[in-house]
Amino acid sequence: MALQGELTMKFPELDSRQSCLIRVAEAERKKFEKLLFQRHPAQEWGSFFRFGYRQTPWGLAATFIKALPPMAGELDRQSSIVSFRPQYIARAVKELENTPFGIGIAHSHPQGWGVSPSPSDDDMDEYFADLFGSFGGGRPYCSLILNRGQDGELVFSGRSFHAGKWIPVTEFITPNFPYSRVRNAELKAPRSANLESAGEPGESLTARLEELYGSDAAAKLQASRVGIIGCSGTGSPAIECLARAGVGEFFIVDYQRFGRSNLERIHGSRFEHAKQSPMPYKVELMAAMIWEINPQATITAFVGNILDDEVVNELLRCDLLLGCTDTHHGRAALSDLATRFLLPAIDVGVMLEGSEGKVNSQLIEVTRYAPELPCAFCSGSVNTWPLKVECMTETERAQRIEAAAEAAKRGEDGTLYWGGDVPQLPTVGFLTTNAGSLVAGYAINWLAGSSDLPHSRFQFDIGQPEFGFAVINRKRSATCACGKIVGHGDQGDAAISKPPHWPRAMKLSLLSKAQ
Ligand SMILES: [Zn+2]
Ligand SMILES: [Zn+2]
């Protein structure tokens, strides 16, 4: 691409300690590719695009919102390369002034020309980073070059100007099924966590999985980053299955320490843990379990909650999140990350009910969250009152109960102040293990690209004829904002935020024996 009056200076070195991940939902990606490759294979074409973002300590989590396609005359059609005319640039600047989003540029290269930036691409990027930075009050800028490989597959390179530095756009992610994470063709491949123990003879540790899914799938799982929120009944068996399947990188989050009654359902826990004082954090048990199975796995562990900013920063590096908390705020947060940051998730919950020695419900419910799906509020997965109770201070709780009692004395409706206790649902290990291993299976298939979930939300009861299987239909509510903030990142309003009285998350420094 070119600009009149070329500057031709040496382009600054990219800061490889930081990275930018860009997520593009499949429907938008298809439209964008059609636009950019309209003169392919012989000639280039380009477009501005709008993106949401979050600045994190590791770099930039960017989300493609939509293309701002050139209108007639805004790009020079006579030129075989992309040449932005002043009126198109003025329109992009206006976008910056009228919205909180970042503006980026993408252009295609002719087939066979690779994705290396040309000297005029360099000039262009420096010019736009500077121009958009000053009109956007320091907002990041993003530039992508797209091409087709020999088999027609997408090849890309990219860089982003963020916090005064040029950083590489390392991955171009399509968070739909089949999941795709294309790596910047200009960068060297990273070292992947390898389940093979060096120098040990014998068959591959994931040989049976490879037989079924192919060696490609095994490599994909090794390169996968999975976040598991909640490391108890459903989270721990899910983690165990994922570790055994060779998933390379784990982000584990749980604020609790192990407790004696947890021995009945937490995988990786032993009798000796119940004797320790203080008892270990659940995430510590998970880290030890993962490393016993795969000493090469990389683990980031937080004693904390999904609503913590520092936790979210790290979760945004994941390919997939598993919601294993069975809480209303947990589901609200998962669906919010799926909507605003295009980060897909699978949530699982169980419900056991019984009385007088008889069990009458042994239910498992699975819900997928994704940018194209209705949020947790639209889906009815979050109820306002229990959500409020989960996020309340002890003082507020006491005040509300007292106010309700006072109101009742006056003959008024006390439920305006206190909607009743939210019972903690009892769970048992066999059912949580079933639920956790089930979602691990869906996650493995999803990451390997071998199969999608059968429905976006469903439940079944293992004690009912035909398992009482039910599909729960979901529809976006016309009054909910979720459909309007897809990909908006930090520039969209969060559906839920951390209650101020909750403690800050603590990142544990853990070391595998192999490291
Ligand atoms: Zn170019
Ligand atoms: Zn919604």
Side-chain angles (χ1 to χ4, degrees), residues 204-228:
S204 156
L205 293 168
T206 50
R208 295 292 95 78
L209 186 136
E210 284 166 47
E211 255 172 53
L212 194 60
Y213 294 93
S215 57
D216 247 24
K220 274 187 190 165
L221 290 172
Q222 278 176 11
S224 290
R225 304 180 293 240
V226 183
I228 299 99

Side-chain angles (χ1 to χ4, degrees), residues 38 112 181 205 216 281 325 350 377 387:
Q38 61 178 267
R181 197 175 79 188
L205 293 168
D216 247 24
Y281 286 112
T325 61
V350 300
F377 292 92
L387 177 65

